[in-house]
Amino acid sequence: MPSYEEARRIILEQVAVLPAEVQPLQGAVGRVLAADVVMPWDLPRWDNSAMDGYAVRSADCAGPTRLRVIGYIPAGGLPAGPVGPGEATRIMTGAPVPPGADAIAPVEDVEESGHAITLRGAVRPGAHVRRRGEDLRAGEVALGAGAVVGPGEVSVIASAGLLSVPVVRQARVAILSTGDELVEPGQPVGPGQVCDSNGVALAAAVLLAGGLPIQLGIARDDKPALLALLEQGLAADVLVTSAGVSAGDRDLVREALDELQVRQVFWKVDIKPGRPTAFGLRGRTPVFSLPGNPVSSLLTFEQFVRPALLRMMGHRQVYRPLQAALLQEPIARSPGRVNFVRVRLSRRADGALLASTAGNQETGILKTLLRADGIAIVPAEQGKLEVGQVVMVQLLRPDLVEP
Ligand code: AMP
Ligand code: MG
């Protein structure tokens, strides 16, 4: 049985980055660039004004000076001609600096009177001029392959004149719930029956990771039904099942996967909760068999499936950020294996991160997961968890705990 760290490493070693596809800018958001974006031209494309004001020759402007206004260049306009000695041209932000001029006198620094202006003080060479290529140079790699496309990246891509870019394809993730007790959400729930919440919950987790969930519904604890649906799921990029992997006599998932030539890489990980988690491969297709308990299935998705999906979709950063936090109360733990403790986080006045339990840590209590800001990863060798103890916490909602 692998340790938590070994299981995570093994999974990342086994998964392969998916092929690229060309996407329009909006479709590329959140995805990973599969090729460099090289600037075809300088940015900005010409020297231009950073202010509304007057384009001047700084040599004319050593002190208060009167200049003749010879023209006007709006944004999107072009200079009619050069600015000569003793002359100025009215210019708007972003408009090209006319030949002859080498500085901008902002409108608030001049007195305007008819076709002339008077400068209140000196204008130094280059003042308020944005230089051609000062942001990006023609031929420069503006964005490297591997960059995650966000608003800034889209801005650069559009400024390079591109409407689409190659990005790594989204992972298509087949999700299968298993168990005789399950009913589709929304259907009448009879005695002894349980709503299939894992199917939709795992689909939601796939969506938030940037993948495309394919919901296969419910497989009964019956071999032929299971085989048919698993085979269907194996056509996706990733197959995720829930339940049916512990040692119960109805736990047929492992057997069925074996019959379908899925090579089992590991079964059970030394963690709590989520020990009966299995990982296998058919060819390059990863298969995750998660525990049925809703808390365990979401926690194991978070620890094992999400990083795999992110890696397949080209992300370099696949793990949540970890931060040290001070425990505010003692927390019970199962010694001997890595424990995931659902915690709430807050900031002390001095900025220290504080962790307290998000509630009852029994795996049947989903609301504790809802209240959690993070998951404390308690090492196997860690003894009892006391007040003041430092724990490493995976931040589920980093924005909530900024200073
Ligand atoms: P199992 O792994 O099959 O022993 O299931 C463990 C527990 O998780 C049982 O209480 C199941 O009823 C519950 N469970 C299994 N699958 C689901 C599901 N899709 N949605 C909600 N609960 C489930
Ligand atoms: Mg079951």
Side-chain angles (χ1 to χ4, degrees):
M1 176 166 42
S3 68
Y4 167 63
E5 291 80 9
E6 283 164 352
R8 297 233 288 185
R9 182 175 48 75
I10 291 167
I11 290 166
L12 288 191
E13 280 169 7
Q14 297 296 333
V15 300
V17 177
L18 293 165
E21 62 181 1
V22 173
Q23 279 288 316
L25 290 190
Q26 295 307 312
V29 174
R31 311 269 289 269
V32 173
L33 282 180
D36 293 346
V37 172
V38 177
M39 285 308 286
W41 45 60
D42 289 330
L43 198 70
R45 302 187 64 170
W46 1 260
D47 289 0
N48 69 95
S49 178
M51 302 286 279
D52 290 344
Y54 291 86
V56 299
R57 302 166 70 100
S58 60
D60 288 350
C61 309
T65 323
R66 192 176 160 82
L67 299 170
R68 201 157 58 82
V69 178
I70 58 155
Y72 169 57
I73 318 168
L78 288 175
V83 172
E87 294 178 343
T89 291
R90 189 160 163 71
I91 190 167
M92 295 294 115
T93 304
V97 176
D102 68 339
I104 306 297
V107 70
E108 43 276 61
D109 294 352
V110 306
E111 225 151 86
E112 298 167 295
S113 52
H115 291 294
I117 55 168
T118 306
L119 301 180
R120 297 214 176 86
V123 180
R124 59 177 174 77
H128 306 296
V129 173
R130 301 194 284 222
R131 291 273 164 225
R132 170 177 179 162
E134 72 176 14
D135 190 0
L136 294 163
R137 288 263 171 217
E140 183 177 339
V141 175
L143 302 169
V148 181
V149 179
E153 285 73 17
V154 165
S155 174
V156 168
I157 296 164
S159 296
L162 300 172
L163 283 175
S164 60
V165 278
V167 289
V168 179
R169 188 157 77 59
Q170 286 177 287
R172 292 173 293 116
V173 184
I175 297 166
L176 182 64
S177 303
T178 71
D180 282 338
E181 75 279 31
L182 302 178
V183 290
E184 295 281 353
Q187 294 303 308
V189 189
Q193 294 188 316
V194 173
C195 280
D196 169 17
S197 59
N198 286 352
V200 288
L202 292 170
V206 167
L207 277 176
L208 282 185
L212 294 172
I214 302 166
Q215 287 186 260
L216 298 179
I218 301 167
R220 299 294 155 207
D221 292 326
D222 144 277
K223 197 59 113 19
L226 203 48
L227 284 171
L229 284 164
L230 289 172
E231 185 60 56
Q232 204 183 320
L234 283 163
D237 299 315
V238 180
L239 170 59
V240 178
T241 69
S242 72
V245 272
S246 28
D249 52 3
R250 289 264 174 111
D251 292 339
L252 302 169
V253 172
R254 284 202 314 139
E255 253 177 73
L257 287 173
D258 187 57
E259 281 182 35
L260 294 172
Q261 270 76 54
V262 174
R263 177 172 67 85
Q264 185 177 293
V265 178
F266 61 75
W267 175 51
K268 288 190 175 167
V269 187
D270 207 3
I271 52 173
K272 182 188 164 80
R275 187 165 141 123
T277 297
F279 172 65
L281 289 161
R282 188 167 83 172
R284 294 311 305 256
T285 308
V287 179
F288 295 89
S289 312
L290 307 182
N293 183 300
V295 170
S296 305
S297 70
L298 284 177
L299 280 177
T300 51
F301 181 96
E302 174 64 36
Q303 301 307 323
F304 304 114
V305 186
R306 182 177 178 274
L309 298 185
L310 291 178
R311 179 54 48 86
M312 293 174 78
M313 294 188 284
H315 290 263
R316 296 189 189 125
Q317 176 64 49
V318 300
Y319 292 141
R320 301 268 189 197
L322 266 184
Q323 272 199 28
L326 293 171
L327 208 53
Q328 295 304 286
E329 53 198 318
I331 293 180
R333 65 177 250 87
S334 292
R337 40 188 172 141
V338 165
N339 277 211
F340 304 128
V341 180
R342 290 155 273 168
V343 295
R344 298 201 75 152
L345 297 170
S346 59
R347 287 269 176 201
R348 206 163 61 185
D350 67 358
L353 198 60
L354 306 177
S356 53
T357 174
N360 183 336
Q361 298 288 332
E362 291 296 324
T363 49
I365 312 296
L366 189 65
K367 66 174 182 257
T368 303
L369 190 56
L370 302 185
R371 287 164 50 87
D373 302 314
I375 307 293
I377 311 292
V378 182
E381 63 279 8
Q382 170 73 56
K384 236 184 117 210
L385 289 172
E386 308 283 9
V387 174
Q389 183 112 41
V390 174
V391 286
M392 294 309 289
V393 179
Q394 249 172 24
L395 304 184
L396 296 177
R397 308 185 232 270
D399 46 330
L400 283 185
V401 291
E402 287 305 320

